[in-house]
Structure formats: structure tokens, C-alpha cells
Amino acid sequence: MRSPLRSATPVGLVALLALSGCGFSGEEGGAARAADREQRIVVDNFRAPVADWALESDAAYILSLSGCLETLTRYDEAAGEIVPALATEWEQVSPLEWEFTLREGVRFQDGTALTADAVVTSLRTVLDAEVPARAFSPAVVSGVEAVDERTVRITTPSESPLVPYRLASVNTGVLAPAAFEGGSVDPFGHCTGPFTPVSEQPKQSLTVDRNEDYWGGEVQLAGAEVRFITDGATRATQVQTGEADVSLSIPAANVAALEADSAVEVLKAESPRTATLYMNNGRAPFDDVDFRKAVRSALDLDALAASVYEGAALPATGPFAPSEPWATEGAEAPQQDADAAKELLAAAGYTAERPLEIIAIVERAEFADVATVIQENLKSVGVPVTITTKEYAAVEPDLLAGDYDMVLSQRNRLIDIADPIGFLTADYTCEGTYNLSHFCDEDYDRLVAQAAGTADTEQRYELYARAGEILEEQAVNVWLVNEQAVDAVRADLQNHRQDPLSRYVLRAETTKPAS
Amino acid sequence: MTAFLARRTATLGITVLLASFVVFLIPYVTPGDPVRKIIRSRVAGEVIDDSVAQALAADLGLQDPLMMQYLRWLGRLLGGDMGLSYASRTPVAEQVLPALAVTLSLVVMTLGAAAAVSVVLGVVAALQEGRAADRVITTVTQAFIAVPEYWLAPVLVLVFALNLSLLPSAGWSGPSSAVLPVAVLALRPTSYFTSAVREGVLDALGAEHVVAARARGLGRVRTLRRHVLPNGLLPLTTLVAVWFAGLLGGSVIVEVVFAIPGMGRLLYDAVRNSDIPLAQGGVVVVVGLAVLLTTAADLVHGLLNPRLRGRRA
């Protein structure tokens, strides 16, 4: 089987375009001005590296978005599929083994060649980390070895069609062996990407210069500064003042002002995050499917999206965003129907013996308001609800132990890899490690297990869709709104493409005209 | 005086020791499992394998009795070792000291600006007691107290960075980047300082030796410089020291909004990332410095005020 995922035509390709990276800047509004190769840009990012550039940590995202760190494969936002990056092809040579052929002529920024040994050194560092990244942990990868100078073999503990997806995770980015000398990770001059990190102001910024020898073509910008600015309003201001060319993750409250500014372009894309009202299926009254459906019917998702989220999120149609290729085609958001809710409550034999509790985690400030809206909706159909706010870490043990009624939280479905298998398995199978809903259904488990072993992308996506339908039919949770990734860029920036997961921002093709 | 110094030093030591114990306990008495918080800060994602959590807890010594952990931490601290940051795995001191330097410079600029402005306003108000200038200065500076930093910061950014393009909206890269954060931080101390200077100068103006000096024909400016200001500004020394201590750890909002890599931002990030050693080290330094400063202010006050020194000694 030769590179099956490369040739596959995923279901809903067009839809996936919308899911991941539909926002482009520059050129389309008129004739592009000539690019100036001496230009440098500023990117305001919402997080700073905290783990001394350890690749298994979130620091990998910063190295990747800065145009430094590259992976063997890459999830192409435009094509909606896994495409070659540092590896040109890959093959499942046996049920438990995949081999990746490395691209020829690639050199690290320190001048050393990209070899299989170098890749193995880098990947083993991640695999052996004290706290491994879930995309590439011993649970899913059992071995990494060099077959010859240009071939890397990845061994899995069980048959997995998703290894190329795992090697697109930024946590599996490849650094030169010299980056790992001395016990810590040093990415400076040790990446392969279009930009080379040259200096760092701790907690403030990372400065990168053009990589003149980039294997992927001529890099247009002379360099960039990635600033770490945690305050969303400050990021929004900086792109308006022109201090920043790109500001990632703009808060909903700042979107209207930016949209009114002709010097700024606001880019929006559906993010794989859905705000969810988790219901404890393991205890009464939520152990009755009619009661769960009643809760769903009682809620006004349109009003919720319009009010609390100020239009920066759309009513959810189920566990997946409509544009995802594994979502059920034509699915619509449930509409509020108080009469139906009351009938379902009667069918469930519900009596308001005690107020039910909604826990709103404090890490998401908007959840307090969401909980209030839900409280009003449920009160109108005769379900009394109290609201408590708690820190997520404080409430997690209770959630996992099944000691709660309802909790407002949200999940990134593609947190590990560009495929929802991890989410569907961990969150909803009977033995799922993050099954907060305490949902258990044999048919569902069978489907997910079948999907996990299905190499054919189209078939696998169909199985995911069926799994999603079961979750919706069983009203396991109420999926409230699909959040949007909102970035803002200066209008003169050209060839910038938005990535809803903020993995790729500085690219070789990005240009800016002389100011 | 020696007894006074010894008493103050002993009090300082006990205060820092008690504070260190409270600081050490905070991460353990707040809700949530510290190990899970640490893991979440290191890797994206919510699913945490129990075996990973247990291995990390053992590695970090988090399974030992709390008192043993405290004594181990205190022993290292006394030896100048604040431990390793959980998140970055680098020595805490390497992060705390640069952040402290940034915050100290921010605080010095803030208090310098506040003191300079308040001396002028306070003296003018005192000399114009009861007149229009006094009433305006008193009313306006009192209003400063009610202006919260989280409101003032975005307003100043909106006016001076966005609309007028005069100053950068954030960052810490030169004198111009300090103007807005210093203005925000200086507002409230300016109010308190002005009031203190006004009262101090009024008291001094009414003192017998000042009245006598004036009666002897000493000029107004010389009287002010030689007899009024030295005593009139005395309350300012204690106030500056108290505000110095407060601003060291109280600049969180300003440092976050203006993206300043100081102690406030460091502590904010440390708490958000559940980086216990970093949070503990940062707070201990801030508390220690605050206690040291207030003690120093007390001593200076005592030295400058013989009556007070005599009473304490």
C-alpha cells in the first residue's frame, strides 16, 4: 500500500477547506503591490513558551507558527489532507509498521543534513519525554528507528492507519541533533523551516530571520518578530495601530471595531471547538434519554450564539461542526421547543425533587453567562437549576468520578491530530479515558473501533459520521455552539493564510509591500 | 537604638519565615491536583494518564509529607536555591531576577513621577489653603483614587496609542513604552502622596520655629526650603516605602495589559501554568523585599524623627 492517504479523496473536501484555513489576506481586494523582500512583520501570539522549547509541550506550536519547526508530514489546510513535508512518501509496510522516506537535499539551519538518524533522535526525545504529547506517546507509538539514511520506521502497538496524521502534529517537529545536546532543547539554528530563530526576549518575543537556504523555495520576508501578548484586547489594539501585522485569537468584544477599520482584515474560520453542556448520563435524571432530549429541546441555541457569543460562534448541529468532512450532511441545529420539552419531561417521569446543578468552569469567562441563559431556558419548562463556578482542575476529579449533574466545557476535537478518532474514543467509548458524560453504548464502541482500524479515509469518515449520529440520537450532551477562530491582519499583508489551530503563521510565501 | 534595630531585625526574620510557610502552602490548599495542573501546563490536552501523573509526582517529590516538602524547600531557599521551574525546567532565580529588575525599574519610575508631581501639588495646595487652587487640587487628586487601573489602562491606550499614535500600546522596549504603564500606576499614589504632602506642609507651616523664622524676617522661599519642606515631606518617606512594597506585587494588571515582563506578569503566568516553584519563589522574593522596605522605611523615619526614635528605643 503506497501512501494511501495522499491519494485518497476525502469526503467533503470542500467542506474541509472551510474548516481549516479559509481565511486569506491580500491580493483579492485589488491589484497586489510589489512585495519588498526587506520587510519584516510582527505577529502577536496569545501564548508564550513555558517549557524551554521542549517539543512535547505547547512551545512546539510557537516554533511551528514562527516558521522554524517542520514535521515529516503536514496537514494541508487548502487540500484538506495529509501532504508531504520533510518526508516525501510513506508506506504501511506491515500491520504494525510504517516507513517514511525523507526528502532529499534538506539541511537544518546549522548546515547539517536531514538524515534518518537525526529524525530518530528528535522523535525519540518526544517519545521518551517525562510527560509525552498525546499525538506521539508510547501509548500509540512503540518504536522509532532508522532503516537506512533516508528511511525512518515507526512501529505501533496496534494496527493504526493514523500514523501519517500523528507525524503532522507539531509536537513531532524535527530539530537537528545539536538541538538536544546538554539536556535541554535549543531550536536556535537547528530547524529546517523558512525562518531561523535568532534571538529571544524571554516572556516577550522571538525574532526570526529569513532562512536563505530553505528547501521549500524562496522566502519573501526578511524576518519577523513573534510577540507573546496574553491580553486579547492588547493584541487587537496592536494590529489597529500597525504595531503588529498579524494578531491571533481576537476576543469577540474587539471584532466589531476591527471590522470597521479599513486598514485591518478580520479572518474567521470554524475552529474544531464546540462549547458543550455535558450531562452525566450515569445518574438520574440524565440516565433517561427522554430527559436529555428534553434539556436539548428547552435550549435556545440561536439566542445563545447571538447574545453571549455576539455572533462569534454559530449554533452547533451536533458533536461536529457542519463543515467537517465527517459531519452528517444537512444536519441542522436543534430548535427550541418548550412544548416538546415538557412532553419529554413527562415521558421521563421527571419531577423537580431537587435543583440540578450546572458547573461553569472559570477558565472560560463566557460560561457564567451561558449557564445563566440555560438556567432560564430550563426554568421555563419546569427544571430548576443552580449554577456554580469552579476552576477546571478543581472539578475534574468529580467529573471523571461521575459526581456531577451538568458541566459547561469545550473540547478541541483535533487536539492530537487532524482526525477526530482521539476525541471519539477518549470522550465517548465505555472505557474512554475522558468520558465525562459517562456514556456507554456497545454499538458506538464497535463503530469507533472499526473506524480506528480503517485505512480508507472515506470509509473512516463515514464511520465517524455514524458515531456522531449515535451521540446525537442518544442526546448524550447538548452541543451548544461551534466557536470560530478569529485572527486580524493588516490589509496590506499578502499571501497570508489563516490556520484555525495557529500552527502555521509565518510562511515562505507571505509578503508585504514597502510601506 | 541598638535594641530597636535588633527588635526590628527579629520581627523581619519571623515575618519572612511565616510568609514563606504561607506562600509554600498556597498551591496545596487551592483546589485541584497540583500534578495534573503541572501536566496540563506542559502539554496540550485534557486527558491525563494516571501512571504519568504518579510518575511525575514521585519525580517531583510531591508524594512526600507536606512538612518534609516545606523543610526541603526552605533549606534550599536559605542556600539561595529557589528550585527549578516546573514548566521551563530552568532555575527559578533565572526567571525571577530579570523580572524583578523590570518591575523595580517600573516601580521606581512610577514612584518618582508620583512623588515629583505630588510634592508640587501638595505644596501649592498647602500654600493656597482654602483657596480655589487648593480645592481643585484636592478634589481632582481625591478623584484619582476612584479610577481603577483596568479601566484607565485601555482608555490611555485608546487615546495615546490608537487615536494619537504618540506612544506604543504595549511592550517594554525603551522609554516611550514606559510612559503609559507609569501613568496608570502613578495615578493613585499621586493622590495619597499629594494629600500627605499637603498635610505635612500645613503642619510644618504652623510650627513655632517656622512662625518665629518668618517673624525674624526670613524669606518665604528660604523658610519653605529650610524649615517647612524637611519636616513637611517626612510622611512621604513612609508612604513611598509602603507603596513601593505594594506595587512590587500589585502591578499585575498593568504588566499583563502592557505585556511587560515583570514580576506581576511572571506571577500571573506562574499561577496560570501551575508552576508552583516559580510562583513560590516569586512571591517569597516580593514578600521579602516588601518586608525589608517597610522595615527600612521605619528605620529611616526613626532616624529622621528623634522624638519617635526616643520613644521606640
Side-chain angles (χ1 to χ4, degrees):
Chain A
M1 188 167 51
R2 196 77 179 164
S3 304
L5 296 171
R6 289 175 54 204
S7 58
T9 306
V11 175
L13 181 62
V14 174
L16 193 53
L17 291 177
L19 161 71
S20 49
C22 60
F24 289 85
S25 71
E27 297 188 39
E28 286 143 44
R33 289 155 60 196
D36 177 359
R37 278 177 48 83
E38 296 307 309
Q39 287 288 319
R40 304 178 72 89
I41 66 168
V42 173
V43 175
D44 277 3
N45 188 35
F46 49 90
R47 60 181 154 202
V50 294
D52 204 23
W53 302 118
L55 292 185
E56 72 275 13
S57 76
D58 284 356
Y61 280 85
I62 292 167
L63 291 176
S64 177
L65 75 83
S66 304
C68 164
L69 192 64
E70 294 187 314
T71 43
L72 292 191
T73 63
R74 181 173 170 127
Y75 185 73
D76 187 284
E77 310 87 55
E81 61 182 345
I82 296 291
V83 297
L86 294 180
T88 51
E89 52 189 25
W90 44 91
E91 183 179 12
Q92 190 167 15
V93 294
S94 77
L96 302 182
E97 290 174 314
W98 284 78
E99 287 185 358
F100 291 76
T101 305
L102 301 184
R103 185 178 295 278
E104 283 188 272
V106 178
R107 291 197 167 272
F108 291 105
Q109 291 160 356
D110 59 11
T112 58
L114 176 79
T115 62
D117 283 338
V119 173
V120 168
T121 300
S122 197
L123 292 180
R124 277 203 182 136
T125 305
V126 176
L127 199 58
D128 297 340
E130 192 176 35
V131 183
R134 283 188 297 143
F136 205 76
S137 73
V140 289
V141 172
S142 48
V144 182
E145 61 183 321
V147 177
D148 57 42
E149 194 172 333
R150 287 186 53 237
T151 310
V152 174
R153 180 182 296 149
I154 308 289
T155 313
T156 57
S158 58
E159 184 169 4
S160 170
L162 296 172
V163 171
Y165 284 74
R166 299 196 179 285
L167 289 161
S169 160
V170 293
N171 295 119
T172 64
V174 179
L175 293 175
F180 305 103
E181 290 170 1
S184 60
V185 179
D186 174 17
F188 288 76
H190 300 312
C191 298
T192 58
F195 292 94
T196 310
V198 289
S199 67
E200 178 192 6
Q201 292 286 323
K203 309 278 184 193
Q204 283 198 86
S205 63
L206 177 71
T207 302
V208 296
D209 282 351
R210 172 194 295 136
N211 176 6
E212 300 285 1
D213 300 319
Y214 182 49
W215 63 267
E218 203 169 27
V219 183
Q220 300 301 315
L221 291 169
E225 181 186 350
V226 178
R227 292 183 186 155
F228 313 132
I229 296 183
T230 49
D231 187 68
T234 305
R235 290 195 302 276
T237 302
Q238 289 223 311
V239 77
Q240 267 194 292
T241 60
E243 292 168 273
D245 298 276
V246 180
S247 281
L248 301 173
S249 193
I250 299 296
N254 297 91
V255 170
L258 292 176
E259 285 180 331
D261 189 334
S262 60
V264 175
E265 197 175 343
V266 177
L267 306 176
K268 294 179 182 174
E270 276 189 359
S271 84
R273 290 183 180 277
T274 301
T276 302
L277 178 68
Y278 284 85
M279 297 184 282
N280 185 353
N281 290 211
R283 84 174 183 194
F286 300 98
D287 55 355
D288 188 319
V289 65
D290 283 338
F291 183 81
R292 300 197 296 267
K293 286 181 177 174
V295 171
R296 185 172 62 190
S297 295
L299 303 190
D300 187 349
L301 304 189
D302 292 325
L304 192 68
S307 59
V308 178
Y309 288 87
E310 299 182 44
L314 299 171
T317 56
F320 307 123
S323 56
E324 291 176 49
W326 41 80
T328 301
E329 205 170 335
E332 292 184 356
Q335 295 297 305
Q336 186 183 35
D337 187 340
D339 292 337
K342 287 173 184 169
E343 283 175 22
L344 285 162
L345 288 174
Y350 171 74
T351 53
E353 290 172 358
R354 66 173 175 94
L356 301 173
E357 183 189 48
I358 296 180
I359 300 168
I361 59 170
V362 296
E363 283 85 347
R364 302 294 295 239
E366 71 274 16
F367 279 163
D369 294 334
V370 173
T372 306
V373 172
I374 293 173
Q375 184 184 43
E376 282 302 310
N377 286 167
L378 290 177
K379 185 182 170 189
S380 69
V381 296
V383 179
V385 168
T386 60
I387 299 170
T388 56
T389 53
K390 289 183 181 173
E391 190 187 352
Y392 177 78
V395 80
E396 187 185 59
D398 287 344
L399 302 183
L400 291 170
D403 186 18
Y404 79 102
D405 289 327
M406 292 176 278
V407 63
L408 282 165
S409 190
Q410 56 82 39
R411 286 274 281 156
N412 180 347
R413 284 181 292 279
L414 308 183
I415 193 162
D416 297 335
I417 52 176
D419 187 283
I421 187 68
F423 162 74
L424 292 173
T425 306
D427 290 33
Y428 295 107
T429 58
C430 296
E431 300 300 320
T433 52
Y434 196 68
N435 190 346
L436 301 188
S437 320
H438 297 272
F439 169 71
C440 183
D441 182 291
E442 287 179 5
D443 290 341
Y444 174 87
D445 281 12
R446 251 194 312 275
L447 266 178
V448 172
Q450 189 185 344
T454 302
D456 183 90
T457 309
E458 194 170 336
Q459 286 177 18
R460 196 169 70 251
Y461 288 178
E462 282 174 8
L463 293 168
Y464 293 158
R466 180 65 200 126
E469 284 163 13
I470 292 176
L471 298 179
E472 190 62 15
E473 286 160 11
Q474 295 290 317
V476 176
N477 293 320
V478 185
W479 291 276
L480 301 169
V481 295
N482 291 317
E483 297 180 10
Q484 290 191 296
V486 182
D487 299 337
V489 300
R490 297 292 295 176
D492 61 350
L493 196 68
Q494 296 167 356
N495 301 324
H496 170 79
R497 190 189 300 158
Q498 185 190 20
D499 174 9
L501 292 179
S502 302
R503 294 158 302 180
Y504 317 119
V505 176
L506 287 170
R507 304 172 194 245
E509 64 269 25
T510 303
T511 62
K512 191 180 174 186
S515 48
Chain B
M1 187 65 195
T2 310
F4 172 60
L5 272 176
R7 207 163 46 238
R8 293 299 295 161
T9 309
T11 309
L12 189 149
I14 293 167
T15 308
V16 172
L17 192 68
L18 284 175
S20 77
F21 188 59
V22 172
V23 167
F24 177 81
L25 281 183
I26 288 171
Y28 299 95
V29 295
T30 50
D33 175 11
V35 179
R36 286 174 179 271
K37 289 183 188 174
I38 295 161
I39 293 173
R40 194 164 289 109
S41 78
R42 285 192 187 177
V43 292
E46 297 87 347
V47 183
I48 294 164
D49 192 317
D50 275 343
S51 63
V52 171
Q54 283 167 13
L56 187 68
D59 188 44
L60 297 173
L62 295 172
Q63 290 171 332
D64 296 335
L66 206 57
M67 192 48 77
M68 186 190 292
Q69 290 185 49
Y70 170 65
L71 291 175
R72 191 166 54 216
W73 176 73
L74 186 65
R76 282 204 310 258
L77 194 67
L78 292 173
D81 177 8
M82 288 191 273
L84 290 179
S85 153
Y86 283 165
S88 72
R89 287 160 251 186
T90 54
V92 166
E94 285 181 12
Q95 294 187 53
V96 168
L97 295 180
L100 186 64
V102 169
T103 297
L104 282 176
S105 56
L106 180 66
V107 171
V108 166
M109 282 188 277
T110 297
L111 293 177
V117 171
S118 61
V119 165
V120 173
L121 294 179
V123 170
V124 170
L127 294 178
Q128 299 288 314
E129 188 192 10
R131 295 181 195 163
D134 179 29
R135 285 202 297 273
V136 169
I137 289 172
T138 305
T139 307
V140 171
T141 53
Q142 285 300 308
F144 288 173
I145 298 173
V147 180
E149 289 161 353
Y150 62 81
W151 179 84
L152 183 63
V155 167
L156 292 185
V157 167
L158 198 66
V159 174
F160 293 100
L162 196 55
N163 291 338
L164 300 176
S165 300
L166 287 176
L167 295 164
S169 62
W172 189 249
S173 55
S176 63
S177 64
V179 175
L180 292 182
V182 164
V184 173
L185 278 176
L187 203 65
R188 278 199 282 176
T190 299
S191 174
Y192 289 106
F193 292 0
T194 302
S195 175
V197 170
R198 181 182 177 277
E199 294 305 314
V201 170
L202 280 176
D203 281 352
L205 282 171
E208 283 178 14
H209 69 286
V210 174
V211 175
R214 288 288 288 158
R216 286 199 310 273
L218 195 66
R220 188 183 169 95
V221 173
R222 288 186 69 190
T223 308
L224 195 66
R225 200 178 66 231
R226 290 179 57 180
H227 298 291
V228 175
L229 288 183
N231 288 323
L233 298 185
L234 201 58
L236 196 57
T237 55
T238 311
L239 261 184
V240 167
V242 169
W243 272 92
F244 205 120
L247 287 174
L248 273 179
S251 55
V252 177
I253 292 172
V254 166
E255 290 188 8
V256 169
V257 168
F258 289 102
I260 297 171
M263 287 302 289
R265 169 91 184 273
L266 177 131
L267 293 174
Y268 174 80
D269 287 345
V271 170
R272 266 175 33 129
N273 296 324
S274 303
D275 197 336
I276 296 171
L278 188 60
Q280 288 170 332
V283 174
V284 158
V285 167
V286 168
V287 170
L289 212 54
V291 173
L292 204 64
L293 280 165
T294 44
T295 305
D298 248 13
L299 292 173
V300 170
H301 201 73
L303 284 172
L304 292 177
N305 190 338
R307 283 174 301 170
L308 198 59
R309 185 177 62 207
R311 196 165 65 234
R312 281 178 175 172

